[in-house]
Amino acid sequence: MSLGPSPSFSAGSAPPGSIKVMLVDDSAIVRGLVARILAEEPLITVAAQASNGEQAIATLARTPVDVVVLDIEMPVMDGITALPGILRAVPGIKVIMLSSLTQRGATFTFQALKAGAADYIPKPSASSDMSGTGSFKRELIDKIKSLAARRLRPPPPPAAPGLPARPAIPAPPPRPAAPTTATAPAMGAVEVLVIGSSTGGPQALFDIATKLKGVRPRIPILITQHMPPTFTGILAEHMASSSGLPAAEGKDGEKVEAGHIYIAPGGKHMLVEKRGADRFIKITDDPPENFCKPAVDPLFRSVSAAYGAKVMAIVLTGMGSDGGKGGAVIAKAGGLLYAQDEATCVVYGMPAAAAATGLCKAILPLPEIGTLIRKTVGG
């Protein structure tokens, strides 16, 4: 694919309060086109560019940034090798890997996520996407803003001298907060575990998977992680190796079995339907929900219909609100809804939507979620 001549671009000084981004790619054409896309967003400034990992680490010493968009395969020093040095150079920096939609690209991306990358974005396969007229632009800008939000969050302003500590008009009472600790449900109260996640989700899922090592689950586990095709297959392989349990992409028509982990395949929705006393996977090509395919809400709704009150649902880190409405369906049917707490989320979007329903049984840090799951699913 020809992308035309390399555009000229020079990084300017970042306006106060803007998100400072570094682009690292050995292709000057790609860097230029991505820079043009980001230049249309007033809250983002491309503060630096580099053609390889070694140059990126050296540049960070004099130009600190908030987010790095890092290519994986580059000469001199590739993205995987550079990643630890980038994370050391600027504590708290967020790195988005720029990955190809191939088996090799997916494998390298998961290596990067395990090594500390915050997220990834697939390289566009069409010139329209790279030129900023496709989904790549929206996804990249959304990821950069979401990942930088906590890093750039301003501290609360100090109280002005002489003003009362309380407002003159009392604020309405807040909705009662969900507990921050949880006990495992009684044996037999849960017949299926469903999990939804997005940005930061793979790392959270690996943490949970390690907690399942040595456990023989008495219930099935179904997961929707926002990911494209190929990537979900690699995710299943990592879940299998980390947990020691059978894990694979769900297949249309297969029976849901206890002790198995089912991953929604990229580009499709995964549902569950009841036939007699058994439940079966249903894979659909329905339109995206919440801009996502696979999406969490369709899985949650279908599991609620198939299992009634005997559902445990967990919403992990991720952008957007997917899982909130489906989680409410589960909770209103008598199931148990939990969300990851803000402090341990990479992006507190999806769990915040679940928490906002007021129906969560508890809001928990990630380590406690893994412990709760182990106690719940264990035979």
Side-chain angles (χ1 to χ4, degrees), residues 163-172:
L163 291 181
R166 292 185 176 184
I169 301 175

Side-chain angles (χ1 to χ4, degrees), residues 117-347:
D119 202 1
Y120 70 95
I121 185 167
K123 276 189 176 182
S125 56
S127 58
S128 61
D129 246 6
M130 186 58 91
S131 65
T133 58
S135 61
F136 177 79
K137 174 182 178 179
R138 176 183 62 80
E139 187 176 355
L140 178 61
I141 289 175
D142 285 351
K143 286 178 183 285
I144 289 172
K145 285 182 174 180
S146 296
L147 291 171
R150 183 182 298 174
R151 182 173 172 82
L152 299 179
R153 185 178 299 160
L163 291 181
R166 292 185 176 184
I169 301 175
R175 187 192 300 269
T180 55
T181 59
T183 56
M187 182 75 71
V190 174
E191 293 184 354
V192 65
L193 170 66
V194 285
I195 300 174
S197 52
S198 184
T199 308
Q203 301 94 316
L205 290 170
F206 298 151
D207 184 90
I208 290 170
T210 59
K211 295 280 181 69
L212 294 175
K213 201 81 172 179
V215 173
R216 299 178 62 185
R218 54 181 177 77
I219 63 173
I221 301 170
L222 296 100
I223 299 169
T224 290
Q225 160 71 38
H226 296 162
M227 275 188 162
T230 305
F231 282 65
T232 46
I234 303 292
L235 173 62
E237 292 176 7
H238 281 269
M239 290 296 290
S241 63
S242 297
S243 67
L245 300 173
E249 290 180 315
K251 295 181 176 58
D252 191 55
E254 72 175 312
K255 183 179 175 181
V256 177
E257 302 278 4
H260 288 243
I261 298 174
Y262 302 89
I263 308 289
K268 305 285 184 182
H269 295 303
M270 183 172 73
L271 314 177
V272 176
E273 56 183 9
K274 186 176 181 180
R275 302 180 204 159
D278 296 321
R279 283 86 172 182
F280 297 85
I281 298 290
K282 182 178 181 181
I283 304 298
T284 79
D285 199 22
D286 293 338
E289 287 195 30
N290 308 306
F291 304 103
C292 301
K293 191 175 178 181
V296 178
D297 279 341
L299 174 64
F300 279 15
R301 291 194 304 265
S302 70
V303 167
S304 181
Y307 288 88
K310 296 194 173 183
V311 180
M312 173 185 278
I314 296 176
V315 181
L316 298 175
T317 174
M319 289 193 306
S321 61
D322 194 20
K325 291 179 180 178
V329 170
I330 288 172
K332 288 175 181 178
L336 304 173
L337 175 62
Y338 299 86
Q340 185 177 348
D341 73 350
E342 183 174 9
T344 60
C345 281
V346 173
V347 175

